[in-house]
Amino acid sequence: MPRINPVKIETANQKTQEILATVKKKMGRVPNLISTMAQAPAVANAYLGFSQALATGNLPARLREQIALAVGEANSCNYCVSAHTAIGKGVGLDETSALAARQASAAEGRSQAALEFAQKLVQARGKVTDADFNQLKTEGFSEGEIGEIVANVALNIFTNYFNHVADTEIDFPVAPELVSA
C-alpha cells in the first residue's frame, strides 16, 4: 500500500488537474509516479521539466532508457525498472537488452561505457575517478554528453528515491527479476 497516495484527476485542484491533463494528453495515461508526485505540484513540475529538458539533449532516447534501467537496478527501484523496461520497448530495447542494461551492460561499446559510468556514479555517490571519466572520452563522449549522463543519473536517482519513500504502486508490467549466475 502506498505511503503517499496518487492524486485523482477528478478530485484534484485546478493546478494539479492541468499538470495531470497535460501528462495524459502526452502519454495517453498518467503513471502512478506522476500522479503521486502531484501531491506536491512543484515536485511533479520539477520532474516533468527535468525529464523534458533531458529529452532535448544529445543522448539518444535508447541510451537514456538504458541509463534509467542501470540506475534503477543499482538503487533497487522496482517501479522504475518496470517502467523503463516497458518504455524501453518503444525505443528498441528488447527483453535481453533491458536485462543487460540493468546490469550496466550493452552490446555497443559506447553505450557500455556510459552504463558502467552511470553505475559507478551511483555506487561512488558521484566521486568517479579520472580513469572512469577518461573511458567516456575514449568512447567519443563530449564533455556536454558526459554532463547529460550525470544529469540522467540524477533524474533517475530522484525518481528511485521518491518511489522508495512513496512506495508507489507499480502500474507497468512488473519487470522480471535478475537471475544470478
Side-chain angles (χ1 to χ4, degrees):
M1 185 154 139
R3 290 185 191 141
I4 300 175
N5 291 304
V7 173
K8 295 186 182 343
I9 194 167
E10 48 288 341
T11 58
N13 65 38
Q14 177 77 28
K15 183 177 183 179
T16 304
Q17 281 184 355
E18 290 171 10
I19 294 167
L20 298 176
T22 300
V23 170
K24 187 172 183 177
K25 182 177 179 183
K26 183 176 180 181
M27 298 183 71
R29 68 187 195 97
V30 181
N32 281 341
L33 169 67
I34 299 169
S35 61
T36 302
M37 286 180 166
Q39 285 286 0
V43 173
N45 279 327
Y47 165 71
L48 293 168
F50 198 1
S51 182
Q52 182 58 42
L54 291 176
T56 66
N58 290 324
L59 296 182
R62 179 182 170 97
L63 182 54
R64 292 192 315 269
E65 290 304 320
Q66 289 171 299
I67 290 169
L69 286 163
V71 173
E73 189 65 38
N75 283 317
S76 302
C77 182
N78 295 329
Y79 185 96
C80 288
V81 167
S82 296
H84 291 287
T85 297
I87 295 166
K89 289 178 182 174
V91 296
L93 289 178
D94 61 18
E95 185 176 327
T96 302
S97 299
L99 287 168
R102 290 169 58 187
Q103 297 173 34
S105 180
E108 192 258 322
R110 184 172 157 89
S111 296
Q112 175 73 32
L115 296 178
E116 288 175 1
F117 186 79
Q119 186 181 59
K120 286 177 184 174
L121 277 171
V122 174
Q123 293 169 342
R125 295 186 175 117
K127 295 186 179 260
V128 295
T129 66
D130 289 344
D132 297 329
F133 182 86
N134 290 332
Q135 180 61 38
L136 288 178
K137 297 289 279 185
T138 299
E139 289 294 336
F141 283 99
S142 69
E143 291 176 359
E145 289 169 324
I146 294 169
E148 286 186 35
I149 293 170
V150 174
N152 275 277
V153 169
L155 173 65
N156 285 286
I157 289 172
F158 171 42
T159 59
N160 296 168
Y161 287 10
F162 183 88
N163 286 315
H164 287 317
V165 170
D167 201 14
T168 310
E169 183 179 342
I170 299 172
D171 55 344
F172 290 90
V174 176
E177 290 201 28
L178 291 179
V179 178
S180 299

